[in-house]
Amino acid sequence: MQISARQNVEILNQHSFVIDDWTVSPAESVLSRGNEVVRLEPKVMEVLVYFASRPSEVISREELERDVWHGAVIGYDAVTATVIKLRKALQDNAKQPRIIATIPKRGYQLIARVSAANHDDVAATTTPQPPSAQATAQLSTRILTKNRSPRFLRMGIFGVIVAALLMFISTQLTLLPDKALPSIVVLPIDNLDASAEYDIFVDGITEDIVTDLSRMANLMVFASNTTFKYKGQKITPQALRSELHVDYVLTGNARRNGDDIRINLQLINTESGVNVWAQRYDRKVVEVFSVQDEISNSLIKALAVKLSSREKRQLLQRATNNLEAYEYFLQGQRLSIEQTKQTNAQARAAYTQAIDIDPAYGRAYGALAYTLALDFRHGWTNTPVENLERALILAEQGVALDGSIPQTYWSLGYVHLRRNEYEKAKIAAKHSIRIAPNYADGYGLLALISNGLGQADKALEYATRGMQLNPFYTWDYLLNVGLARYLLGNYAQAVESLEKAQDRNENAIPIKLYLAASYVNVNRLDDAQWTIEQIGVLNPSTTISHLASTMMLSEPKQKAKLLADLRKAGLPE
């Protein structure tokens, strides 16, 4: 019987096992050796279990991102930082490894022995060779038959059924689209060019189609974060209907050859599988903006969407007609995703280039303002006050130049929020969703602002709507849900949401802060203290006094409560 790596991970997660002279307990997320006990963060434990499922194999960074981070967008350093934490916990040395070796330009290799742990905690040593299918099956059988009583099995099966039922009910309550409106997902347009050089360009076309359609009040459009989760995948319209409950899917491909571009698109009814509309565009690359206009108008006609006079005017407006400026802007968008100090600076340079080429490019001004506000948020600048002043000037200029797209108002709202100008932030964010009722990020920003104002019920409402529009929502949506539940006093639910957020972003300080405070209120002081220790490793400058002056909570009682909980958790003054 052949057992896959995924099945082996599932088996290892259920029971303790031994690596070298450490006993690994995934369920408790701890390592033990004699009297030593070391606790691991959940993601660090996931990486260790993944390594143990493939002993002696060289595992690439790409495989870790795919199978452990499940394709989530993470910074380049996330994998490296996790392996460093793992080596530190195992007391391993990267230069003279005995457990995890780095294979230059290829990845990592677990070189220590892996074995099953028995009841007497005596490990039967194995060699670090890949186990045969028979040996793996025997090991799996031994592990799975331990503690297998009829009562144990009944309880386990009952628990799985209950968990699945609760998950199904939760999904139906919060993530189904509004079925009063037709719904569409725009899949990433495939780049058929032999070179990946034009990937950013083709992705930009996809993003712009999503933005155009998201402005339509009578159409439900899934966010681009959800769209790009399917990039490179082969998925049928029927499968998309099952996953997203979506009515239509737009799919296609593009080939750019020098100054020429060919785009093929199909609009498919996900229930019948029938093509509702299809078109091929053979144009010069410089005509890409008029092609986008044609595509959006054709889709609206094919879907029989009724437009208001304002929506008709918006469709006539284009952010820029300068191809060179557009390409610099797209470079900035790609760099901005990682949100590291270096990539943020590189994105800022790209947006500046776009503005230099097209001084009327409003969206580029808004994006540039966001990079400055992000510098302020993360402490990446020595001139924080000046940064926020310049960010506000740029954001206001972006809106003045192009107030027809939601992103410029979103940037303005974000800058106001970082300046603690909550009411102004709310006005700008609400304007972004008036322009584009399907703009998920607008709802996400409104959730963050509402939490800042102490309006937790509204924050939950906005976050839920954003998650409907973006089923593959990012960690910050869960952060807002968790913070809202903390402010409402629903601490167990807050822990649940924030732990899920942490699974998606191990290094986000705000998640850990609110999680530590929530742990205090459910009598998990050890977990709270552990979380604060991790904050100290990630950012030693995070203190009570720093938070008191920078925290985005305007209600004095809520702010005092949070600071008091963080003191109990051990955050230094």
Side-chain angles (χ1 to χ4, degrees), residues 18 46 68 86 120 131 152 155 196 198 202 227 245 248 255 274 377 413 451 454 465 494 500 520 546:
V18 174
E46 280 187 59
V68 180
L86 188 51
D120 298 322
F152 174 82
M155 289 176 65
Y198 297 126
V202 174
T227 292
H245 309 278
Y248 298 94
R255 185 187 299 278
V274 173
R377 174 190 173 187
N451 272 327
R465 180 56 179 160
K500 289 178 180 177
V520 167
H546 176 72

Side-chain angles (χ1 to χ4, degrees), residues 524-540:
R524 291 173 60 178
L525 195 58
D526 285 349
D527 289 325
Q529 291 170 344
W530 167 257
T531 304
I532 293 298
E533 287 177 18
Q534 297 309 300
I535 292 172
V537 171
L538 291 168
N539 188 357

